[in-house]
């Protein structure tokens, strides 16, 4: 027999939400997402990290990096995140999403369905990102091997009013994840 207390605890743990971490390449989005995911799982939440590189490989492999293709990619990821979220999963989305109108379309999709959505700007300066250069993109761009690198020779439209701004270059990964967890707790999502 299920008690009222058990139902309340189950509902709390299965409240879904999309947490979109936007920022430049090598800003720390994915690292923070995985740190937060571990903490949320330890608390009993259902969590999925929708890594941008994996999505490109499996769901958006035919897309390039034009503005239209980037918009399509962001909307596809937003659809998947909203689907997971409305089914009780915390969808952590560490995806650049360089254009404000694409991010706004995802937010509106969530709002129209009543699904919680948070936008987090991992606001790491390009100078710091280029030193981190996790995937070697900044070096390739500097050597002329690639073009269209977000924040260097392709635009990145910073969020005007994100739900949270994390300056990952001034704090540890754990501190960044803790700040995001505090926001989720404040909003009744953790």
């Amino acid at each position: 027999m299920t008690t009222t207390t058990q139902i309340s605890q189950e509902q709390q743990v299965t409240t879904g939400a999309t947490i979109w971490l936007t920022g430049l390449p090598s800003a720390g989005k994915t690292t923070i997402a995985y740190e937060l995911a571990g903490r949320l799982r330890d608390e009993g939440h259902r969590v999925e990290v929708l890594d941008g590189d994996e999505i490109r490989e499996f769901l958006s492999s035919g897309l390039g990096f034009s503005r239209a293709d980037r918009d399509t990619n962001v909307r596809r990821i937003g659809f998947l995140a909203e689907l997971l979220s409305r089914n009780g999963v915390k969808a952590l989305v560490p995806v650049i999403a360089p254009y404000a109108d694409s991010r706004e379309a995802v937010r509106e999709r969530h709002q129209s369905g009543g699904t919680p959505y948070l936008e987090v700007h991992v606001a790491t300066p390009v100078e710091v990102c280029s030193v981190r250069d996790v995937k070697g993109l900044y070096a390739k761009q500097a050597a002329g091997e690639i073009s269209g690198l977000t924040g260097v020779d392709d635009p990145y439209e910073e969020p005007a009013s994100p739900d949270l701004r994390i300056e990952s270059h001034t704090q540890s990964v754990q501190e960044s994840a803790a700040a995001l967890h505090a926001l989720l707790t404040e909003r009744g999502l953790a």
Side-chain angles (χ1 to χ4, degrees), residues 6-63:
Q6 288 172 322
I7 291 171
S8 296
Q9 288 173 343
E10 181 178 299
Q11 288 173 340
Q12 179 183 2
V13 172
T14 60
T15 299
T18 294
I19 301 92
W20 197 293
L21 294 92
T22 179
L24 297 173
S26 296
K29 302 177 298 296
T30 302
T31 304
I32 294 166
Y34 278 108
E35 180 71 24
L36 178 62
R39 182 171 179 172
L40 290 170
R41 284 187 186 109
D42 288 348
E43 294 173 353
H45 297 272
R46 296 168 53 202
V47 180
E48 288 295 333
V49 177
L50 301 180
D51 182 275
D53 293 333
E54 291 176 357
I55 297 291
R56 275 227 175 244
E57 180 180 353
F58 295 106
L59 295 180
S60 298
S61 62
L63 296 177

Side-chain angles (χ1 to χ4, degrees), residues 161-181:
S161 55
D163 295 285
L164 178 66
R165 187 175 316 279
I166 294 174
E167 296 188 8
S168 71
H169 60 292
T170 65
Q171 59 191 27
S172 70
V173 172
Q174 293 76 18
E175 290 169 329
S176 296
L180 186 43
H181 189 274

Side-chain angles (χ1 to χ4, degrees), residues 56-100:
R56 275 227 175 244
E57 180 180 353
F58 295 106
L59 295 180
S60 298
S61 62
L63 296 177
F65 291 91
S66 68
R67 184 179 179 112
D69 282 356
R70 288 177 191 238
D71 181 65
T72 298
N73 187 48
V74 167
R75 288 173 187 257
R76 284 179 184 177
I77 296 168
F79 169 79
L80 180 58
E82 198 274 332
L83 179 67
L84 289 167
S85 296
R86 80 174 118 105
N87 284 287
V89 176
K90 301 284 188 304
L92 305 180
V93 186
V95 174
I96 296 169
Y99 302 112

